[in-house]
C-alpha cells in the first residue's frame, strides 16, 4: 500500500507544473529534469528522476539561474533522490534546513464520522472579512511552522479566492485555539494539507465533508479529466505526525530542505499581489471615485470628471475583436512599464471584486508572470489601472464604451498607438473635441467635427 501511495505522490506532485493560471505572480520553467518555480521573492526546485552523473553541474546551473533573478531558493531532497545529491548541495553552499515525514492517505480509507468535541469547542470555516481572526490565525501559523505550505504563501498564491481552499478554525468559547488549511491541488487527485497549528483530528473530519461537497459542486475543479480526489497529503513530525498516523495516514518518504541565497537582498513583494478585501485597494477606489465623481450605484451614463491631462477614445471599433482587445491591453501595459517609476506598483481594480497590484517592470516580459489585464471594460464591469497617487492610469467605462488614459507620462507612450487602433478621440481633458460616434445603416460610422 505505501509503495502505491509513494508512486502516486511522486508522479502527481513532484516536478509539477500547475495548469494555468497557477499560483499568482509565479513562473515555472523546465531545465532538463528540474522544474523551477519563480515567485519573484524566492523560488523552489523540484524533480523526480535525476541523472546519476553531473549532479554538481546541475546544481550550479540552478544557482546561476536564481542568482540572475535575485531569488533565494529552496531545494527539497527526498529519501528516494540520489544519495549524493545532498552532498553536492552542501558543497555548492546550500544550508540544510528542516526535515519532515511525507504522509499520504486514501480519502476513502479515512473515517468521516463526526467527532464529538468538548463542551465550548467548535470547528468552523473562516470568512474572508474576519480581519481580526485572520490576523490571529496568521500569527499562530507563523509560530507553529514550518508547514508544507505556509498560510502566507497560500494567500499569496491566490488560494483564498474561489473554491479551492478550506481555512478552518477551532474555537473554544469563541476564541481561536488552532487553525488548519487544505487546498485542492488542481490537475491531480490530491488534496494538500498546507498546515495545522495544532494536532486536531476534527480538522480532518471537516475536510472530508468539504472535499465531498467540492467534488459535487458544478463550479469546482475537476482533477485528471474529471476523476475525484483520492488522496490527502501532509508533511509533519512529532505529535502532528502521530495524529496523522493514528487517523490512517502512512509514511511514504521523508523530505529535507536545503536553502541558498544570492548576495543581494530579494524583492519584498511578488510581481503580482492579490487585492482581496484589502483596505489599501479600497482607499484607491475611494480616492478615484471622489476625484472623478464616479459611482457604481447606477448604470445611467455619468458625466465623469476626467483629469486635465487625459484623452478618451470610443471602443466600438474593437468591440468583440479579441485580437484588437489584446493589442489594446498590450499597448497600455507597454506604456505602464515605461511611465511608472522604478519599483512603483500599479493597481488593477474592478469595483466590488478582487483586483491586483503589480510592478509593470516585473511582469509581461520573457520569464515573467502575466500582467493583469485591466484596460478593456469587458463583462459590463468598469476597469481601472492606476498608480496609488492617481497620477497616471486608464479607466475603462462599459456604459459609455470608452477608454480614458490619464497622466502625461503615460499618454506620451500610448496616445499615437491607441489612436491608430481605436481611431476616434472623443475628449481631451474631459472636453469633447467634436467627434461623434454614430451607427449608420452600413455599420459603425464616424462623423467628424
Amino acid at each position: 500500500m505505501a509503495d502505491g501511495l509513494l508512486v502516486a505522490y511522486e508522479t502527481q506532485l513532484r516536478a509539477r507544473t500547475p495548469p494555468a493560471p497557477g499560483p499568482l505572480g509565479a513562473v515555472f520553467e523546465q531545465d532538463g529534469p528540474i522544474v523551477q518555480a519563480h515567485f519573484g521573492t524566492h523560488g523552489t526546485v523540484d524533480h523526480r528522476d535525476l541523472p546519476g552523473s553531473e549532479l554538481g553541474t546541475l546544481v550550479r546551473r540552478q544557482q546561476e539561474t536564481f542568482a540572475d533573478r535575485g531569488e533565494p531558493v529552496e531545494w527539497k531532497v527526498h529519501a528516494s533522490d540520489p544519495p549524493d545529491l545532498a552532498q553536492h548541495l552542501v558543497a555548492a553552499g546550500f544550508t540544510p534546513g528542516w526535515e519532515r515525514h511525507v504522509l499520504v492517505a486514501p480519502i476513502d480509507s479515512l473515517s468521516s464520522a463526526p467527532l464529538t468535541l468538548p463542551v465550548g469547542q467548535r470547528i468552523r470555516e473562516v470568512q474572508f472579512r474576519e480581519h481580526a481572526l485572520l490576523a490571529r490565525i496568521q500569527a499562530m501559523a507563523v509560530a507553529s511552522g514550518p508547514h508544507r505550505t505556509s498560510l502566507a504563501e497560500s494567500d499569496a498564491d491566490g488560494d483564498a479566492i474561489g473554491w479551492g481552499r478550506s481555512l478552518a478554525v477551532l474555537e473554544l468559547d469563541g476564541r481561536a485555539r488552532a487553525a488548519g488549511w487544505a487546498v485542492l491541488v488542481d490537475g491531480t487527485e490530491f488534496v494538500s494539507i498546507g498546515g495545522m497549528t495544532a494536532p486536531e483530528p476534527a480538522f480532518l473530519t471537516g475536510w472530508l465533508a468539504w472535499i465531498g461537497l467540492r467534488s459535487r459542486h458544478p463550479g469546482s475543479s475537476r482533477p485528471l479529466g474529471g476523476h475525484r480526489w483520492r488522496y490527502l497529503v501532509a508533511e509533519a513530525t512529532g505529535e502532528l505526525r502521530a495524529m496523522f498516523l493514528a487517523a490512517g495516514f502512512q509514511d511514504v518518504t521523508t523530505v529535507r530542505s536545503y536553502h541558498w541565497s544570492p548576495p543581494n537582498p530579494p524583492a519584498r513583494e511578488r510581481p503580482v499581489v492579490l487585492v482581496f478585501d484589502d483596505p489599501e485597494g479600497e482607499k484607491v477606489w475611494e480616492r478615484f471615485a471622489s476625484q472623478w465623481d464616479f459611482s457604481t450605484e447606477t448604470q445611467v451614463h455619468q458625466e465623469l470628471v476626467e483629469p486635465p491631462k487625459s484623452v478618451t477614445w470610443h471602443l466600438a471599433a474593437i468591440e468583440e475583436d479579441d485580437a484588437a482587445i489584446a493589442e489594446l491591453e498590450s499597448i497600455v501595459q507597454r506604456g505602464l512599464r515605461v511611465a511608472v517609476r522604478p519599483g512603483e506598483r500599479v493597481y488593477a481594480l474592478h469595483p466590488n471584486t478582487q483586483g491586483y497590484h503589480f510592478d509593470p517592470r516585473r511582469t509581461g516580459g520573457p520569464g515573467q508572470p502575466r500582467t493583469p489585464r485591466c484596460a478593456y471594460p469587458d463583462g459590463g464591469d468598469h476597469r481601472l489601472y492606476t498608480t496609488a497617487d492617481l497620477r497616471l492610469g486608464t479607466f475603462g467605462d462599459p456604459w459609455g464604451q470608452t477608454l480614458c488614459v490619464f497622466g502625461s507620462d503615460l499618454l506620451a507612450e500610448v496616445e499615437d498607438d491607441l489612436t491608430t487602433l481605436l481611431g476616434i478621440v472623443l475628449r481631451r481633458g474631459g472636453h469633447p473635441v467634436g467627434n461623434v460616434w454614430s451607427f449608420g445603416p452600413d455599420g459603425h460610422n464616424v462623423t467628424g467635427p
Side-chain angles (χ1 to χ4, degrees):
M1 171 72 78
D3 289 344
L5 297 178
L6 177 59
V7 170
Y9 170 81
E10 292 270 357
T11 56
Q12 294 190 41
L13 294 185
R14 295 205 63 190
R16 170 179 171 268
T17 298
L24 187 61
V27 173
F28 290 78
E29 295 184 340
Q30 190 94 25
D31 180 5
I34 298 291
V35 172
Q36 306 165 350
H38 300 283
F39 298 94
T41 54
H42 67 289
T44 62
V45 165
D46 201 8
H47 47 79
R48 288 195 286 268
D49 299 326
L50 288 179
S53 60
E54 303 299 328
L55 274 180
T57 301
L58 187 65
V59 168
R60 288 191 295 274
R61 194 161 69 235
Q62 308 316 304
Q63 278 182 297
E64 291 171 0
T65 298
F66 285 94
D68 289 342
R69 288 177 170 268
E71 295 175 332
V73 57
E74 178 183 72
W75 194 314
K76 292 183 178 181
V77 177
H78 291 70
S80 55
D81 291 332
D84 57 344
L85 174 59
Q87 299 172 16
H88 285 289
L89 290 171
V90 172
F94 281 77
T95 302
W98 50 259
E99 184 173 17
R100 297 195 291 259
H101 292 264
V102 177
L103 302 108
V104 177
I107 289 173
D108 287 348
S109 71
L110 301 177
S111 172
S112 59
L115 296 180
T116 301
L117 294 173
V119 175
Q121 288 192 13
R122 67 167 180 165
I123 296 278
R124 68 175 181 90
E125 287 282 321
V126 180
Q127 304 303 311
F128 70 88
R129 290 191 182 277
E130 297 182 83
H131 300 294
L133 176 58
L134 287 168
R136 163 87 172 144
I137 290 174
Q138 283 285 7
M140 290 192 296
V142 171
S144 60
H147 303 286
R148 174 175 169 82
T149 303
S150 75
L151 186 55
E153 283 297 300
S154 178
D155 286 343
D157 287 345
D159 294 337
I161 60 176
W163 296 96
R165 187 181 79 177
S166 170
L167 174 59
V169 62
L170 171 66
E171 293 180 331
L172 173 60
D173 297 329
R175 181 171 175 79
R177 310 300 297 180
W181 52 100
V183 176
L184 307 174
V185 184
D186 196 17
T188 80
E189 297 173 302
F190 277 83
V191 178
S192 172
I193 298 174
M196 284 188 196
T197 64
E200 295 291 346
F203 286 130
L204 294 176
T205 304
W207 286 329
L208 292 176
W210 169 72
I211 292 166
L213 289 173
R214 291 294 173 264
S215 298
R216 294 189 296 272
H217 196 282
S220 64
S221 304
R222 294 297 179 189
L224 295 181
H227 297 295
R228 60 189 175 89
W229 289 283
R230 297 181 59 193
Y231 307 104
L232 276 166
V233 62
E235 293 176 10
T237 59
E239 292 182 359
L240 187 57
R241 171 176 173 255
M243 185 215 70
F244 284 125
L245 293 173
F249 284 70
Q250 296 190 46
D251 274 328
V252 297
T253 186
T254 58
V255 58
R256 185 163 191 173
S257 66
Y258 288 80
H259 304 264
W260 179 82
S261 296
N264 295 326
R268 298 180 62 182
E269 289 187 299
R270 291 193 187 187
V272 182
V273 175
L274 183 68
V275 177
F276 184 59
D277 193 37
D278 175 74
E280 289 303 315
E282 292 177 358
K283 289 177 182 177
V284 171
W285 259 119
E286 290 170 1
R287 289 197 296 270
F288 167 78
S290 175
Q291 290 186 23
W292 286 57
D293 195 20
F294 169 75
S295 172
T296 59
E297 297 301 318
T298 175
Q299 291 196 6
V300 175
H301 180 57
Q302 304 166 76
E303 295 294 333
L304 298 175
V305 181
E306 295 170 340
K309 296 179 180 178
S310 68
V311 177
T312 301
W313 291 264
H314 206 286
L315 294 171
I318 63 170
E319 186 179 9
E320 298 182 358
D321 185 337
D322 292 342
I325 292 171
E327 177 62 17
L328 169 69
E329 297 284 354
S330 179
I331 291 169
V332 171
Q333 291 170 14
R334 290 197 303 267
L336 290 171
R337 195 172 298 122
V338 175
V340 301
R341 298 161 182 159
E344 187 175 23
R345 311 289 290 193
V346 171
Y347 282 85
L349 301 176
H350 316 172
N352 306 317
T353 186
Q354 77 271 4
Y356 308 91
H357 65 73
F358 64 97
D359 184 341
R361 289 183 171 84
R362 298 170 62 202
T363 66
Q368 295 178 333
R370 292 180 298 177
T371 304
R373 291 177 57 157
C374 203
Y376 186 81
D378 57 353
D381 289 332
H382 297 85
R383 296 287 190 269
L384 175 65
Y385 272 138
T386 184
T387 50
D389 59 4
L390 304 184
R391 187 181 74 261
L392 59 83
T394 70
F395 179 67
D397 179 2
W399 303 337
Q401 268 195 302
T402 58
L403 175 71
C404 178
V405 177
F406 55 96
S408 56
D409 291 341
L410 182 56
L411 281 169
E413 301 296 329
V414 304
E415 182 174 355
D416 290 345
D417 289 340
L418 287 179
T419 300
T420 299
L421 178 67
L422 302 176
I424 295 304
V425 172
L426 294 180
R427 296 184 294 275
R428 292 185 181 275
H431 301 292
V433 297
N435 291 328
V436 178
W437 188 270
S438 63
F439 299 88
D442 58 348
H444 300 314
N445 296 293
V446 175
T447 303

